[in-house]
Amino acid sequence: MTATRAVEQPLLADIASPFHHESHRHLLSTPEVVPGGSAKLDAIIVPTARQAAGMKTAIDLAGQLGCTLVAMCSKWSKPEEVARLARGAGIKLATIETDRLPDGLLPKFETTALLAGTIFERRTDTSLKRNLGLLVARLVNWNRIVFLDDDIFISDPDDLRAAVGLLDTHATVGMWIDGMPDNSVVCHAYRGVGGPQDTFIGGGALAVGSAAMTSFFPNIYNEDWFFLLDDVRMRPTAITGYAKQGPYDPFANDQRARSEEFGDLLAEGVYWLLDHGRRVQDANAAFWKYYLGIRRQFIADVIDRAQRLDKSPKEKSRMIAALKAASGRCQRIDPELCVEYLRAWRTDRTRWRRHLDGLDEKAAMAMLKQARLTVIDERPDA
């Protein structure tokens, strides 16, 4: 098993920002891991939109760990191609076409309705797929699942075994992310200008126990940071093992920065409070007025640093364009919207719990079949 090593970046006074918390790692526990743990992983759940080749890591891990693999497919991910790739792996594979989900299987969230039709609406299906994974886990009585993105690579299955073993004492367990840092566009730019930007855990490689399945993923950037919270603060969360994020270009277009800004502001603001020992409820209008001010100063400071970078004009212009897009979007956010969103999020937390508690299993399974739920079981003892 890969030994956990702490990755620390120095917070140097001459490059650190007074307007930004570079790291939230102190909110996580890093417990000692006992090799050879026997905790059983029920399923790996992959919200996939890429072509089937992106499922190779998850297929291999499911075979090595003896668990079910669930592929939540949309866009370029085709269930029959995933099944073809998994043929001969000796696993139980379930595929669902999430663009065929009937109404009523998942609840209508106030957080989604609040942003619908506005510039802050997030048009991705990752949150939907993860919430569907939680619902499926409730339907089939799974107690330990792992969410794994289709661009995440885990080389050592013992790292996942260790994470799953920690679910006896923690609600969720994330992994250290190597490779491409898992940050927002603004934080990528901050690192690019020399800022000591850290990374945090996320839904791309996250072990989840039954205690955390009453939480949900809102349809917003940094939805996984909100999933980690209870009504007051973070649930007990650990970090162990290693995963590698595939490369991507954070400055390919400025729309990415625009679409992230509202969720990045909200999550960084809430975790700013948690860093100071405060509660989620302390994020009131007065706080958001203050925090919006320092967020805007932070982005302006990174733009200023980017303009003075010793890089090619093309590299600088792409970074600055993305930062200006984020800045423009941030200017459109007001404290009242932040307060209203968190109020809707708290309502949705209750709605999600009631939805799970009131599940009609036969009706839910019938709806999943409408979404072309397909199960292929190649396990030797099946």
Side-chain angles (χ1 to χ4, degrees), residues 129-149:
K129 290 174 178 177
R130 289 178 179 156
N131 289 331
L132 183 59
L134 295 171
L135 183 143
V136 169
R138 171 63 70 93
L139 279 176
V140 297
N141 296 313
W142 286 336
N143 294 311
R144 295 179 177 89
I145 61 174
V146 165
F147 286 110
L148 189 69
D149 281 357

Side-chain angles (χ1 to χ4, degrees), residues 31-202:
E32 290 292 329
V33 173
V34 178
S38 59
K40 181 182 182 299
L41 173 60
D42 293 308
I44 295 172
I45 298 175
V46 183
T48 178
R50 294 178 175 86
Q51 294 182 348
M55 293 292 299
K56 183 66 168 58
T57 291
I59 291 169
D60 290 344
L61 286 169
Q64 291 167 315
L65 297 174
C67 67
T68 299
L69 175 61
V70 182
M72 303 286 186
C73 302
S74 66
K75 297 182 182 178
W76 296 278
S77 177
K78 307 302 180 185
E80 59 275 14
E81 293 177 5
V82 175
R84 191 177 303 116
L85 185 66
R87 191 172 298 145
I91 65 171
K92 183 177 182 178
L93 170 69
T95 61
I96 301 173
E97 291 189 50
T98 57
D99 55 2
R100 293 173 176 259
L101 289 183
D103 288 340
L105 185 58
L106 294 172
K108 301 293 186 182
F109 291 118
E110 282 194 23
T111 44
T112 301
L114 177 63
L115 303 183
T118 74
I119 60 173
F120 304 111
E121 181 178 6
R122 187 158 175 83
R123 296 176 175 85
T124 66
D125 61 4
T126 305
S127 296
L128 178 148
K129 290 174 178 177
R130 289 178 179 156
N131 289 331
L132 183 59
L134 295 171
L135 183 143
V136 169
R138 171 63 70 93
L139 279 176
V140 297
N141 296 313
W142 286 336
N143 294 311
R144 295 179 177 89
I145 61 174
V146 165
F147 286 110
L148 189 69
D149 281 357
D150 58 7
D151 61 346
I152 294 285
F153 176 73
I154 297 175
S155 61
D156 190 343
D158 279 344
D159 281 353
L160 268 191
R161 289 190 179 97
V164 172
L166 290 172
L167 291 175
D168 289 337
T169 52
H170 297 80
T172 48
V173 182
M175 306 186 80
W176 303 92
I177 303 295
D178 283 339
M180 185 74 181
D182 185 18
N183 290 123
S184 67
V185 172
V186 170
C187 289
H188 272 294
Y190 181 52
R191 178 184 289 105
V193 300
Q197 180 64 52
D198 199 358
T199 59
F200 199 54
I201 65 169

Side-chain angles (χ1 to χ4, degrees), residues 261 265 285 287-298 330-336 338:
E261 182 56 25
L265 165 87
F287 168 74
W288 288 115
K289 182 178 180 180
Y290 164 78
Y291 190 76
L292 275 163
I294 61 173
R295 174 74 177 186
R296 291 164 183 166
Q297 287 178 290
F298 171 56
C330 191
Q331 296 295 330
R332 304 285 295 275
I333 303 170
D334 60 46
E336 290 72 25
C338 299

